[in-house]
Every structure is written in structure tokens, then in C-alpha cells.
Amino acid sequence: ALVERPNVLVGQFEEAFLEVPQECLILTMKANQKYFPLLRDAPAILDGARQVAQGKLTNRFLIVSNISPDDASAVVQGNERVVRPRLADAKFFFDQDRKKTLESRVPGLAKVVYHNKLGSQGERVERVRAIARWVAEKVDADVRLADRAALLAKVDLLTDMVGEFPELQGVMGGYYARHDGEDEAVAQAIADQYLVRRDETEAVTNLVSEVLQIADRMETLVGIWGIGLKPTGDKDPFALRRHALSVIKSFQLLGLKSAQDKAGLRLDLDDLIAFSLSVFPAGSLAGNVAEELKLFIYERYANQLTPLFGAEAVAAVFAGMPPLHEIVKRLRAVSEFAQLPESPSLAAANKRVGNILKKAEGEAGGAVNAALFVETAETALFAALSGIAPRADAAFAAGDYTASLQALAALKAPVDAFFDQVMVNADDPALKANRLALLHRLHQTMNRVADLSRLAA
């Protein structure tokens, strides 16, 4: 809307400027001059200044003029004269910044205020380092590199380039780390630390990046939440919702990697929150941060998954707050179970069992004594459960949640017969306790993957 009669022209600048990181040149051309940078090899998707797809910047750009003269050379030359000082400034900042290493700038972070209740950026970096080392041990990443990445991650805030273009935080840190000879995993982790959009099928190629992202997000979530700056309906100035989704994404990706490596993920959200709380000075945070923050993260994930899997399936899986990296897998299993013809009846029966056990007030949970069975239906249910439960449990233990749930389909007939023919609340206390114990075992078997009662109409 800046022009009424757009006329697109092509300008160019000296190739020497291409020595500057292309994110800097793209940003200055787009933000300051409203030019369109041209890239070769592959089209780039630009997220702000960050180049997401592959594509190399050329020394040509598009100008949108509001006039269409017969000879447009004067317009092109005028715009080329205008953009040249901008690019020269970017090159100057880049050259000046590289004269000092990132490590030499670290002490300067102590003079940068992060938040008046949480101290300086230097103090924050030490907290992130502690979390990063702890996470690295849990996911078998290189602890030394994770600590190094956390130490240098925020230093580019003190550079001239980031001072002029705050959007380039992290990006420039990655370039400067490579220039300083830092390990490539460290440089890439610094460059990736502010990434928001990550592909659903992305593979973890750099564990240090994942460790740094988790440590940085958790320090922010715990600290900001602990000083009372929680998101409200219309305000989230510290982007805690986005940070929560980033933590979830890291758990997803690390869970996929651990499954491919045939090793269980040893990173647990409760432990992560607890450790993150421990790095803050005693008494600096208020409220029940651990419980509230866990609920907040799970709610964000539930909101994200509900449009994909439906409210009932999400409610069923999230009822037990399973490990974050297992949730999608369980949701797929529940969705497939819901398509079985036996599903509605079993879900309704599970809901009925749950209500009975709630009213039992601690009477259920003992061992089942087959010698006390009186009705054929309870004997049949016990026999069916004894055969099916081990298969369902074994599939659950192996992570095959679909097979675990589908094994339950064979329980439909004996469960229906039990409720048709058996009075649970018998007058004989021993008989009643035995039947409650049988229902308790049934309830445990049916709810291993998810609370199936949430699927009942």
C-alpha cells in the first residue's frame, strides 16, 4: 500500500557485501528500504530476518517504484545509492564485532539487567548453564558443549550488529562463534536458540541445540512464572505460551530419537521443573510454581492437539498426565480404539466401574480370590481378564499402545455379562470386597493407556 501504480525494477549492489551474513543484508533491505532480496538455488521462506528454507542471497534486489518512466535507470541508480550506505553499515558492524571473541564479552552480561526481580543477564546465564548441564546428562548429550553453548548464548546481545538489529539475536551469535573457532555443535545451538517454527518430522541432529532450547525456555518459564508474571487471557509479554510449546516440541523430538535408538527417554518434566526451580535463590520465587507450571504446559499441549484428535480422545489421554513424549502416540492408539465396535460399550462400562470404585471409599484394591466366586459371570470375567491383562500389559510396556488397547476388545462380552448378572454390593462383606477387587483390577487394565471412561457418551 506504499505505492499506487507499482512498477518493479531490478537493482544491484557490490558483491563484496555478500561477505556479510545474508540475514543482515536481507533485514536491512526489507525493514529499512522495503526492497525484495533475490535468492538463488531455492526459494527461501523468511521468518522475520531468519531464513528458514535454503537459498543463497544474490547481489540483486527488486525495487517497487510508483512511477514508470521511459528510462528507469535514474530510479534504479538512486535506489542503489540509497541501499549502499545501509549495507556498508552492516558490514562495518560485522567487521567490528569480530574483533572481540564472544568469550571475552561474557563479563559484560553482568551489567545487563534481565529483570529487576531476577537479576542480570550474567546471573541468568549461570542458571541456564546449570539447567543445560543437568539436561545434557539426561539425554546423553555432551555436557561440556552444552555448558559452553549456554555460556555464550546471550553474548551477542552486546554486539553492535544485534544492537542495531535486535531481530538477529542468536543468528549473529552463531556466526561469531564459528569465527571464534567454537565447536560447530555449539555455534549451531546458539544460532538455533530462538527458533519457533520447527517441522513435525524434524530429526534431532544436534543434541546440544535441544539441550540449550530446553534450558533457556525452562529458566524463563520458572523465573517469570515465579515472580507472578503469568499469562492472562490477552497478555503474554514474556511469550510463556510459546516457550511451553517449545519445551513440548523438544520432548517430542527427543522422544522420537530415543525410540529410534531403542532407549527410553530419561528426561522427565516433573524432575526438569524441580531442578529448574533449584537454580534460583531460595525465596526469590513465590507460589506453587511446580504444580502450576506443569498444568500450564499440559494445557497448552492439550489445546494444540484437540483440533487434531478431538476433545474426547485428548481428555482420555491427558487425564493421567502421561510423559510428554508419549502423548501423541497414545492419542493415535485411543483414536484407533474408538473406531472399534466394542469401544462404546467398554468406555461406558469403564465409566460405571470408576463410579463404583469411587463410592467404595477404599474398600477396593485387595487380591482377587477365585474361590469366592458365586456367579458364572464373575468367574468368566476373571478368566478373560487373566488371559487378556498380561497381553495388554506387555504391549503397554513395549510402547505398543494400539495393541494394548485393542486387546481389551475381547473383554466386552464378559464385562457386559458381569454387569447384567452380578450384584457388586452384595450383603456378604467378603463377597462384596472380592467383586470390588475384581473391578479394581479391570479398571487398572483398561486405564493403562488412557482413561477410557472419557470416551463414553
Side-chain angles (χ1 to χ4, degrees):
L2 297 179
V3 293
E4 294 179 348
R5 298 180 180 180
N7 177 32
V8 179
L9 306 170
V10 180
Q12 63 181 13
F13 52 84
E14 290 83 349
E15 290 191 1
F17 287 124
L18 294 177
E19 297 174 5
V20 179
Q22 64 184 41
E23 292 89 346
C24 308
L25 305 181
I26 290 171
L27 181 60
T28 192
M29 283 191 285
K30 288 181 62 181
N32 294 326
Q33 303 303 135
K34 304 298 187 293
Y35 296 148
F36 290 85
L38 294 178
L39 300 100
R40 69 166 66 94
D41 298 334
I45 302 170
L46 300 178
D47 181 6
R50 198 180 306 278
Q51 187 176 332
V52 179
Q54 294 299 314
K56 188 170 178 60
L57 182 68
T58 69
N59 67 323
R60 305 177 72 194
F61 59 96
L62 299 182
I63 305 156
V64 182
S65 173
N66 199 32
I67 57 175
S68 302
D70 294 334
D71 181 5
S73 59
V75 177
V76 172
Q77 291 169 7
N79 281 275
E80 289 174 345
R81 283 196 301 272
V82 169
V83 78
R84 195 170 291 114
R86 297 283 189 178
L87 302 182
D89 286 345
K91 188 174 187 305
F92 174 77
F93 293 144
F94 185 57
D95 292 339
Q96 288 296 111
D97 287 341
R98 288 182 296 171
K99 292 179 180 179
K100 292 179 64 177
T101 64
L102 289 178
E103 185 174 22
S104 70
R105 298 176 186 267
V106 170
L109 291 173
K111 301 177 183 178
V112 180
V113 176
Y114 171 53
H115 191 282
N116 62 349
K117 293 183 179 180
L118 296 173
S120 68
Q121 282 286 0
E123 292 171 302
R124 179 174 185 241
V125 163
E126 290 305 310
R127 294 193 293 266
V128 174
R129 289 178 68 188
I131 299 171
R133 291 192 297 267
W134 184 87
V135 173
E137 290 181 352
K138 297 294 183 182
V139 300
D140 296 324
D142 189 308
V143 176
R144 182 185 63 82
L145 294 182
D147 180 66
R148 185 70 176 173
L151 173 68
L152 302 178
K154 306 301 177 185
V155 180
D156 66 355
L157 296 173
L158 302 176
T159 62
D160 292 338
M161 185 71 82
V162 174
E164 182 71 17
F165 302 113
E167 300 92 334
L168 296 178
Q169 293 175 44
V171 173
M172 296 313 303
Y175 280 109
Y176 296 144
R178 291 186 180 94
H179 179 265
D180 294 346
E182 299 290 343
D183 190 284
E184 175 58 25
V186 171
Q188 191 59 47
I190 295 172
D192 289 346
Q193 65 180 302
Y194 295 105
L195 282 179
V196 177
R197 295 189 299 186
R198 291 191 284 170
D199 192 88
E200 294 294 331
T201 59
E202 178 182 351
V204 176
T205 56
N206 184 1
L207 275 175
V208 178
S209 284
E210 293 301 330
V211 168
L212 181 59
Q213 290 216 17
I214 292 173
D216 181 73
R217 271 49 165 188
M218 286 307 303
E219 193 280 338
T220 302
L221 283 164
V222 169
I224 298 300
W225 195 283
I227 59 174
L229 299 178
K230 309 170 188 177
T232 61
D234 60 341
K235 292 182 180 179
D236 186 12
F238 292 91
L240 298 192
R241 293 186 179 95
R242 191 173 65 199
H243 287 335
L245 292 176
S246 179
V247 170
I248 291 165
K249 172 58 71 176
S250 289
F251 268 85
Q252 280 182 307
L253 297 177
L254 290 170
L256 288 173
K257 183 180 186 302
S258 67
Q260 292 166 357
D261 296 342
K262 297 183 179 179
L265 181 62
R266 294 186 293 122
L267 185 62
D268 176 78
L269 182 61
D270 288 316
D271 294 341
L272 175 60
I273 294 174
F275 185 84
S276 300
L277 279 165
S278 73
V279 304
F280 286 84
S284 62
L285 306 181
N288 189 3
V289 178
E291 185 177 334
E292 293 176 4
L293 195 54
K294 180 181 179 180
L295 183 60
F296 174 72
I297 291 172
Y298 272 85
E299 284 178 345
R300 296 307 306 158
Y301 204 9
N303 292 340
Q304 186 184 51
L305 294 174
T306 296
L308 302 175
F309 293 96
E312 294 81 7
V314 168
V317 171
F318 276 79
M321 286 195 174
L324 285 175
H325 65 283
E326 292 186 353
I327 287 177
V328 170
K329 194 174 180 181
R330 294 193 187 202
L331 278 168
R332 292 193 179 110
V334 169
S335 297
E336 291 186 31
F337 174 78
Q339 303 304 313
L340 298 177
E342 298 87 353
S343 171
S345 177
L346 284 172
N350 192 52
K351 186 174 183 179
R352 184 175 178 181
V353 170
N355 291 334
I356 292 172
L357 294 176
K358 284 179 184 176
K359 293 177 182 177
E361 297 180 352
E363 296 179 60
V368 181
N369 185 354
L372 294 177
F373 291 147
V374 175
E375 304 290 345
T376 303
E378 57 186 330
T379 302
L381 177 58
F382 180 70
L385 192 56
S386 297
I388 292 169
R391 297 203 311 269
D393 291 346
F396 178 88
D400 190 349
Y401 302 128
T402 300
S404 182
L405 284 179
Q406 290 183 348
L408 303 179
L411 289 173
K412 178 185 182 302
V415 168
D416 288 347
F418 179 89
F419 282 117
D420 287 343
Q421 303 171 25
V422 178
M423 174 67 70
V424 176
N425 294 319
D427 294 332
D428 184 342
L431 195 59
K432 176 183 177 182
N434 199 50
R435 289 170 178 172
L436 286 173
L438 179 59
L439 290 182
H440 183 263
R441 183 176 175 187
L442 173 66
H443 200 247
Q444 283 186 317
T445 300
M446 294 184 68
N447 283 356
R448 288 295 296 276
V449 175
D451 181 359
L452 300 183
S453 64
R454 303 299 181 101
L455 302 179

